[in-house]
Amino acid sequence: MRRIKKSIMTCCCISILFMGGCWDRIDIEDMGLACGVGVDYQESSAKRLTPEFTIQFVVPKVLAGENGGGGSQAEPFQNLTMDESSLFEAGREASTVTSRSPNYAHLKVLVISKEAAQSINLLQLLNFFFRDHEIRRTVHVLISEEKASEILSIKGTKDPVPALKLLSITENMEKKTAKMPPILSLGDFSEKMSASSSFLVQKVQKFKEGVQIIGAAVIKGNTQKMIGELNEDETFGINCITGEAKAGAVTGVDKETDKIISYEIDRLKSSIKSKVNGEDISYTVNINTEGRLSEDWIPKSDAFNEKFIRNAEKQVEREFMRLMEAGLAKTQKELKVDVAGFGESLRINQPKVWKKVKKNWEERFPEASIDINVKVKIRQFQTQGRKMNK
Amino acid sequence: MNSSNEKITFIQATVVLTMTIIGVGIVTLPRVSAEEVQTPDIWISMILGGGISIVVAFFITKLCLQFKGMTIYQFSPILVGKWAGFVFNLFIIMYFILVAGYQARSMAEVLRAYLLDKTPIEVVIIVYIAVGVYIVISGIYSIVKLLQIYFPVVLVFILLMLALSITNVDFNNLRPVLGGGFIPVLKGIKPTTLSLAGIESYLILMAYMHQSKKAMKAAAVGIFIALFLYILIVIAVIGALTVDEVRLLTWPTLELVKSIEMKVLLLERFESFFIILWVITTFTSFIMNFHFASLGLSQVFKKAYKPFVYGLIPFVYLCAMYPEDINGVFKLGGYIGNMAIVVAGIIPILLLIIAFIRRKRNAKN
């Protein structure tokens, strides 16, 4: 009996040696979960441009204790700003000041300041993010008007962690508004860059006490730098051309009464058709949208009357045209970039022509003529059709 | 071992071939072929590659049918003489050892890159080989049964991965079809055909098959399943990441898996599941190749099987550790591809021609 006991004991003791766990275990309490990072441009005397790297950690303890009376004034997040010649090194240097080294596996948002995006080649600047195995391709990228570290320290009242708040706002594009370009993930960023095509990035700026994501930053594919920005109208126009404006409001003005009519997009479809005639490349863009009448200020409006609806559609169409023309004027004529997928349409439908013009596409693109046709269909006018009885 | 009266059935033969083919290719194929083709038409190259594989399978089964119940190790000396046969066999054995080492190393590299950052790669490989030996030592029938168990798991995991990534796929990235003409497609045939290497296993496997006459059919079905899964993977990866992007990534398929994010299903970090799939798929190819190498040695030297399994451990380990870095691993993959052309293509066709001439001569006499 004793012998058996002894042998069991020995077995247990020996097995402890082998059951220490794997080399790579990190206890979850010891992880510094980075949920947002910001990149700024540091003006310094050094020979090289030095980026400034801000890491935002969540502090789960404070988040969990939120409903515990609110006695402590501790923030649920912690920002760390480092400046080093490479972002990776800056991330490592963070380990000299925080007990929990950053882990990027749950990174959600990357904010790049406008200054940095304009002065540093983004392909170089973001290499660390593309390369690191912890960072996912789904991280949302934003460009900020102010310094990224500043944007990341503005905390929301409903969402106490700034990075997570930004994340939720970016997602509104799909359901509520088209005044910002579609979400651009780190993966999309890399895909666009690898094809050296130009694209739009959501832009964040300070708004009163909080932040606002509105308009777009334009990144030029050839130079891999930010070269300009679109305001909300231009962004909306481009979103319509690409067919990404799946939701959002358009407010037209009635010609007769000079009062506003608001239309809400339910569905929007766009098709870009290319036509090649010798050296000339021309496009026809057809937009078909269905939606609802959400608001009008015309005193004698009568949605039960088909004529009124048709007229409203006309006015909204006019507004659509204005937005898209504004978007095209800015991107095609002024900034001379193709962010609405015109080159993509050529690549798919006319691969032979595309092969020829691919190299200097953005020099050719401003000369292309673009026709736009819009068809608005008001499907419903909701609960009240008339303001006053006649 | 030959004393066992067990035989491999038709379904088992199919499963074994599929599982031998599907291996490292699931993560490397998209980049390697995108590098060559540079247009989204890789799937067309895949289909052509599948056609070539089936032709090769035809030759191999034709050859083996002439020597029923014998592996290539046994019949090549009969066919081309003792010494030439010995050289052929040694070359084939070397090929199998290299493939086994390559599978082990690739598996460990991916594991290191995505999961076990600090664990020494040597440890991962040693553990992997140890588990492999455990199954290889018990012979072909146990291996086949293990593959039969794994097969549905692999199938479900691959299909699940593809289903989850479907929202990321933009079919515009796969267009235009044949936009660059047919030449890029032809360029892609070599890497895609090589990704389907594994048919050489029939050189040995057919000796143990119950109905070796149906071998051609089993081979065709096996190749077809593997081809189908590979084409789906390529379409998903190219559709989600674009050709230009795929060429930049070390492990494109893993990047696709990493971009899966399903808020509805509360599913993130699907790559942890993918790693399971990855280890299983490489493991099945690994044990098959390991087994073929040790069986080859035992039949060439006409000695017992088990000592050769143990004896091969250091060689497989050395092959696995030979590449210095990740580029070395890819290079080794390239060499193995070229060797596969010899083992699966040139040697069987050569032997078949010799067998044909001999039979003619015998008929005359």
Side-chain angles (χ1 to χ4, degrees):
Chain A
M1 201 51 210
R2 244 185 120 168
R3 231 160 130 201
I4 295 173
K5 247 187 197 166
K6 230 181 199 171
S7 59
I8 290 177
M9 277 301 281
T10 333
C11 273
C12 288
C13 288
I14 292 172
S15 62
I16 284 173
L17 286 176
F18 296 100
M19 287 160 79
C22 76
W23 265 274
D24 293 281
R25 77 173 197 297
I26 310 167
D27 290 329
I28 196 155
E29 308 87 79
D30 297 338
M31 265 199 275
L33 295 175
C35 61
V37 293
V39 180
D40 286 308
Y41 165 54
Q42 175 78 39
E43 198 74 64
S44 73
S45 55
K47 283 164 268 163
R48 273 200 204 109
L49 301 168
T50 48
E52 196 181 274
F53 192 38
T54 305
I55 307 171
Q56 178 157 89
F57 296 97
V58 268
V59 184
K61 231 181 244 165
V62 182
L63 266 186
E66 254 176 343
N67 38 11
S72 68
Q73 284 299 305
E75 304 274 15
F77 64 93
Q78 179 203 4
N79 282 1
L80 258 185
T81 304
M82 293 283 157
D83 57 302
E84 265 302 329
S85 51
S86 85
L87 295 182
F88 178 70
E89 206 174 324
R92 282 297 153 96
E93 196 170 275
S95 302
T96 58
V97 284
T98 175
S99 52
R100 289 168 193 184
S101 303
N103 175 304
Y104 302 105
H106 295 272
L107 189 63
K108 299 287 185 216
V109 177
L110 162 64
V111 184
I112 306 165
S113 76
K114 186 171 142 185
E115 254 194 321
Q118 280 170 335
S119 44
I120 310 179
N121 182 322
L122 288 167
L123 200 56
Q124 297 164 11
L125 185 68
L126 299 183
N127 186 265
F128 162 65
F129 298 100
F130 297 137
R131 203 171 270 210
D132 194 276
H133 78 277
E134 278 174 3
I135 295 171
R136 311 179 63 83
R137 296 177 68 84
T138 47
V139 175
H140 293 187
V141 185
L142 292 165
I143 291 204
S144 63
E145 180 70 38
E146 289 84 11
K147 282 191 83 178
S149 55
E150 212 174 312
I151 294 288
L152 278 175
S153 54
I154 302 174
K155 97 180 166 152
T157 32
K158 297 184 204 98
D159 254 327
V161 182
L164 301 181
K165 176 192 59 187
L166 287 175
L167 180 78
S168 315
I169 301 177
T170 58
E171 282 165 357
N172 284 345
M173 154 68 200
E174 279 161 22
K175 289 185 194 107
K176 297 289 173 199
T177 176
K179 290 190 174 174
M180 49 174 108
I183 294 170
L184 189 91
S185 70
L186 214 47
D188 300 333
F189 212 105
S190 176
E191 280 158 33
K192 299 275 188 190
M193 292 261 212
S194 66
S196 53
S197 51
S198 305
F199 55 100
L200 299 179
V201 190
Q202 294 181 332
K203 201 158 153 291
V204 56
Q205 62 189 48
K206 265 191 184 167
F207 178 74
K208 291 173 191 158
E209 300 287 287
V211 293
Q212 184 183 29
I213 297 180
I214 195 160
V218 181
I219 312 277
K220 193 172 166 71
N222 292 339
T223 56
Q224 286 132 3
K225 282 182 186 166
M226 174 174 162
I227 55 152
E229 48 197 283
L230 304 186
N231 64 23
E232 47 185 284
D233 283 357
E234 290 151 357
T235 311
F236 197 107
I238 296 294
N239 278 340
C240 291
I241 294 173
T242 54
E244 296 284 355
K246 300 271 187 234
V250 177
T251 305
V253 179
D254 183 42
K255 250 187 190 162
E256 261 173 57
T257 54
D258 201 31
K259 296 278 197 260
I260 56 166
I261 302 170
S262 253
Y263 165 83
E264 189 190 343
I265 302 171
D266 273 341
R267 286 171 59 185
L268 186 138
K269 254 195 180 154
S270 100
S271 74
I272 301 177
K273 289 215 173 76
S274 52
K275 213 168 136 194
V276 181
N277 203 342
E279 285 288 290
D280 282 344
I281 298 168
S282 60
Y283 288 100
T284 319
V285 183
N286 290 313
I287 313 278
N288 273 308
T289 164
E290 284 176 11
R292 58 187 86 181
L293 198 59
S294 292
E295 189 177 347
D296 78 82
W297 286 20
I298 303 165
K300 293 217 173 102
S301 71
D302 181 6
F304 295 116
N305 188 348
E306 201 61 11
K307 238 179 168 173
F308 170 78
I309 298 282
R310 290 291 98 79
N311 180 49
E313 283 171 357
K314 280 266 151 53
Q315 310 310 330
V316 175
E317 269 167 23
R318 223 157 36 108
E319 177 66 9
F320 262 108
M321 282 299 274
R322 187 186 72 78
L323 293 172
M324 282 187 275
E325 273 162 7
L328 278 180
K330 184 69 173 266
T331 56
Q332 189 195 11
K333 303 289 183 211
E334 205 186 315
L335 299 174
K336 298 189 165 50
V337 288
D338 168 25
V339 290
F342 288 101
E344 185 75 357
S345 140
L346 205 62
R347 179 183 75 81
I348 289 169
N349 298 315
Q350 317 256 5
K352 284 203 183 108
V353 181
W354 175 241
K355 221 176 181 181
K356 264 189 278 170
V357 298
K358 195 162 102 184
K359 277 259 157 67
N360 50 2
W361 170 237
E362 285 190 335
E363 285 159 32
R364 297 285 299 274
F365 176 61
E367 294 154 22
S369 64
I370 300 171
D371 280 330
I372 307 177
N373 303 314
V374 192
K375 245 204 187 122
V376 173
K377 182 95 193 118
I378 294 178
R379 282 276 184 221
Q380 53 168 322
F381 44 84
Q382 312 200 67
T383 46
Q384 196 190 43
R386 220 180 262 147
K387 284 198 195 64
M388 282 199 293
N389 285 318
K390 280 172 197 161
Chain B
M1 208 180 61
N2 287 340
S3 61
S4 160
N5 47 15
E6 262 185 296
K7 287 277 176 189
I8 295 173
T9 64
F10 175 77
I11 290 174
Q12 282 173 329
T14 312
V15 166
V16 168
L17 184 58
T18 307
M19 297 292 279
T20 312
I21 292 174
I22 297 180
V24 176
I26 52 173
V27 301
T28 57
L29 171 67
R31 182 173 47 81
V32 175
S33 49
E35 199 63 58
E36 291 292 327
V37 181
Q38 303 196 0
T39 65
D41 300 322
I42 298 167
W43 56 276
I44 304 177
S45 311
M46 291 280 333
I47 294 173
L48 295 177
I52 294 176
S53 294
I54 287 184
V55 172
V56 170
F58 175 76
F59 285 127
I60 288 178
T61 47
K62 262 269 148 14
L63 174 67
C64 291
L65 268 182
Q66 307 192 357
F67 300 91
K68 269 188 194 161
M70 281 170 129
T71 64
I72 186 158
Y73 304 124
Q74 289 164 328
F75 68 68
S76 67
I78 301 175
L79 207 54
V80 292
K82 205 171 164 194
W83 285 108
F86 183 72
V87 171
F88 275 4
N89 287 344
L90 225 52
F91 185 77
I92 296 173
I93 291 166
M94 241 166 64
Y95 166 76
F96 283 130
I97 296 175
L98 271 174
V99 176
Y102 171 65
Q103 298 272 357
R105 177 63 181 268
S106 307
M107 183 281 311
E109 284 290 348
V110 171
L111 227 57
R112 167 159 79 176
Y114 287 93
L115 197 67
L116 306 174
D117 194 19
K118 297 274 164 14
T119 311
I121 199 161
E122 293 83 358
V123 175
V124 176
I125 290 179
I126 288 172
V127 171
Y128 187 78
I129 295 179
V131 180
V133 168
Y134 183 56
I135 179 78
V136 169
I137 205 88
S138 39
I140 182 78
Y141 302 108
S142 319
I143 296 176
V144 168
K145 273 173 196 155
L146 183 78
L147 299 199
Q148 237 181 330
I149 297 168
Y150 276 158
F151 180 69
V153 179
V154 168
L155 207 62
V156 165
F157 263 114
I158 291 184
L159 293 178
L160 182 68
M161 172 189 105
L162 293 168
L164 288 175
S165 53
I166 198 93
T167 49
N168 294 340
V169 175
D170 179 0
F171 282 97
N172 276 343
N173 291 338
L174 291 161
R175 291 165 66 194
V177 176
L178 289 178
F182 232 94
I183 292 159
V185 174
L186 296 179
K187 277 189 194 157
I189 287 183
K190 191 185 164 194
T192 52
T193 312
L194 290 182
S195 72
L196 294 169
I199 181 63
E200 64 276 4
S201 59
Y202 270 40
L203 288 170
I204 294 122
L205 211 63
M206 272 179 73
Y208 303 100
M209 267 166 81
H210 185 52
Q211 298 160 296
S212 49
K213 278 203 179 128
K214 277 196 181 166
M216 181 59 213
K217 211 169 146 198
V221 176
I223 290 173
F224 184 78
I225 297 173
L227 177 69
F228 180 69
L229 292 175
Y230 268 0
I231 288 181
L232 285 183
I233 289 172
V234 164
I235 287 181
V237 172
I238 302 286
L241 302 176
T242 73
V243 187
D244 294 318
E245 174 78 2
V246 165
R247 288 171 60 199
L248 310 179
L249 300 170
T250 319
W251 316 107
T253 313
L254 261 150
E255 288 304 313
L256 167 73
V257 174
K258 260 173 83 181
S259 58
I260 293 175
E261 204 167 64
M262 291 245 160
K263 292 234 165 79
V264 196
L265 297 173
L266 292 173
L267 194 70
E268 264 181 58
R269 300 179 69 84
F270 187 72
E271 67 263 29
S272 329
F273 296 94
F274 180 80
I275 293 286
I276 302 173
L277 168 75
W278 168 244
V279 172
I280 291 179
T281 48
T282 53
F283 185 69
T284 53
S285 307
F286 169 75
I287 53 176
M288 284 312 289
N289 287 297
F290 197 167
H291 167 72
F292 291 147
S294 18
L295 181 74
L297 284 174
S298 95
Q299 288 185 341
V300 167
F301 295 108
K302 301 202 174 66
K303 294 266 161 58
Y305 168 74
K306 280 184 190 176
F308 284 109
V309 178
Y310 293 123
L312 272 182
I313 296 173
F315 291 99
V316 172
Y317 177 76
L318 283 179
C319 286
M321 293 313 297
Y322 172 72
E324 273 178 22
D325 55 7
I326 190 79
N327 284 330
V329 178
F330 292 142
K331 231 186 201 163
L332 178 65
Y335 292 142
I336 286 176
N338 291 335
M339 277 179 87
I341 297 177
V342 178
V343 171
I346 295 174
I347 291 182
I349 292 175
L350 202 68
L351 291 181
L352 194 62
I353 293 171
I354 293 170
F356 185 71
I357 295 170
R358 280 212 169 173
R359 209 187 322 153
K360 272 251 164 107
R361 218 182 267 166
N362 286 348
K364 258 184 197 168
N365 295 345

